[in-house]
Amino acid sequence: TCALLVAMVCSGRWLRAATTRQHHADCRAHMLDVSHFSLVVRGLPLEQRLPVASRRQFFEQWGEVVSVVAARDNRVLVSLLRRRQILSQQLKDDEIRVARAKLEMFRDARHARAVAASRHAPDGG
């Protein structure tokens, strides 16, 4: 009975320690840190290009900086690319319509030649 009691106490301690470790891991998974946030700054003058180190140093006065990236505003470019894609698809659709119309005209012309040939053919009577 004494060994059983010791085993139960050790098992209880091990279970409590495992539960505590899991609880701390769960808490860390739900904690926010600086990498969960980003800051977008627009309207910086293009003629005053600052090196990345200078930009980082400037923003570090408010807290930890994980990374600094200088990106261009590509909204106009993206808009033009979308428009290009739409026009390209419209052009393909128009080319298909023209090809179908040509095929239809060819079939009509072939049919008209066959009708004309049958009218001028001597009767086999």
Side-chain angles (χ1 to χ4, degrees), residues 68-98:
V68 175
V69 177
R72 293 190 171 268
D73 184 3
N74 292 322
R75 284 180 284 187
V76 173
L77 178 61
V78 169
S79 174
L80 289 172
L81 287 172
R82 283 188 191 138
R83 182 72 180 140
R84 177 182 168 193
Q85 183 181 18
I86 290 168
L87 290 173
S88 177
Q89 185 60 48
Q90 288 174 348
L91 179 63
K92 287 177 186 177
D93 293 344
D94 289 344
E95 288 172 347
I96 290 170
R97 279 193 284 278
V98 167

Side-chain angles (χ1 to χ4, degrees), residues 95-109:
E95 288 172 347
I96 290 170
R97 279 193 284 278
V98 167
R100 286 181 179 156
K102 284 182 179 180
L103 181 61
E104 191 64 34
M105 286 173 37
F106 173 75
R107 287 180 182 158
D108 289 347

Side-chain angles (χ1 to χ4, degrees), residues 30-41 62-69:
H30 296 293
M31 290 176 63
L32 295 177
D33 64 12
V34 70
S35 65
H36 290 97
F37 301 94
S38 64
L39 174 68
V40 176
V41 179
W62 289 285
E64 181 183 356
V65 175
V66 174
S67 69
V68 175
V69 177

Side-chain angles (χ1 to χ4, degrees), residues 106-121:
F106 173 75
R107 287 180 182 158
D108 289 347
R110 190 173 62 184
H111 178 68
R113 282 194 302 271
V115 169
S118 67
R119 288 184 187 160
H120 296 299

